[in-house]
Amino acid sequence: MTFIKLILALTCLLSGTLVAQEAKVTQEAKVTQLLSKDLTDLPGKEGLMITVEYPPGSSDPIHRHNAHAFIYVLEGSIVMQVRGGKETILTPGQTFYEGLDDVHIVGRNASQTKPAKFLVFFVKDKGAPVLVPTN
């Protein structure tokens, strides 16, 4: 009986190590806030400017912004798609728009070997979260 418990314990430890290794491979995007400004002529609204850096192969979960989002690619290539729209590959200098009601179903680095970086400008409700996970 002790031998079986030892095998089970080792299996659990090995599985935990593999899960930890997989988590290290999937890197999250780095988000840097550049500017936040109350839009005084639009009561209750603010402008927010961020950069997003995707490591090679990284992607976002399905989400929405509840905001107007204007995207400009700085480096690398990214793949974007909103529900009901076409999947689009964007390269430096290209743009993408997400509206208030859009659900962002694809957001990822197009490359498995090179990073990508883009600028996002949001017009959103003051104090509202930038990203809302959804289905």
Side-chain angles (χ1 to χ4, degrees):
M1 195 70 138
T2 306
F3 180 73
I4 293 173
K5 287 181 183 178
L6 177 62
I7 296 295
L8 287 173
L10 288 173
T11 302
C12 288
L13 286 173
L14 182 57
S15 297
T17 301
L18 291 175
V19 168
Q21 287 172 347
E22 286 177 351
K24 289 178 187 174
V25 171
T26 306
Q27 298 177 2
E28 290 185 19
K30 177 184 174 191
V31 177
T32 304
Q33 182 174 319
L34 303 175
L35 174 71
S36 178
K37 180 76 174 158
D38 288 348
L39 302 175
T40 55
D41 58 337
L42 297 171
K45 299 290 184 184
E46 66 181 335
L48 175 66
M49 190 180 299
I50 63 172
T51 56
V52 179
E53 296 177 58
Y54 281 153
S58 80
S59 64
D60 292 331
I62 296 174
H63 64 276
R64 63 183 309 127
H65 296 289
N66 299 330
H68 295 280
F70 301 86
I71 294 111
Y72 180 82
V73 180
L74 299 167
E75 301 170 10
S77 8
I78 60 174
V79 182
M80 296 285 179
Q81 182 181 8
V82 294
R83 187 165 286 144
K86 286 183 165 182
E87 186 174 283
T88 305
I89 298 174
L90 303 163
T91 57
Q94 292 186 306
T95 60
F96 189 79
Y97 169 78
E98 291 180 50
L100 286 169
D101 298 321
D102 284 334
V103 175
H104 193 157
I105 59 171
V106 176
R108 64 180 164 83
N109 188 335
S111 173
Q112 295 294 319
T113 59
K114 297 178 182 174
K117 184 176 183 178
F118 56 99
L119 176 75
V120 185
F121 176 71
F122 294 101
V123 176
K124 64 183 208 54
D125 289 339
K126 187 176 175 179
V130 173
L131 186 140
V132 179
T134 190
N135 296 323

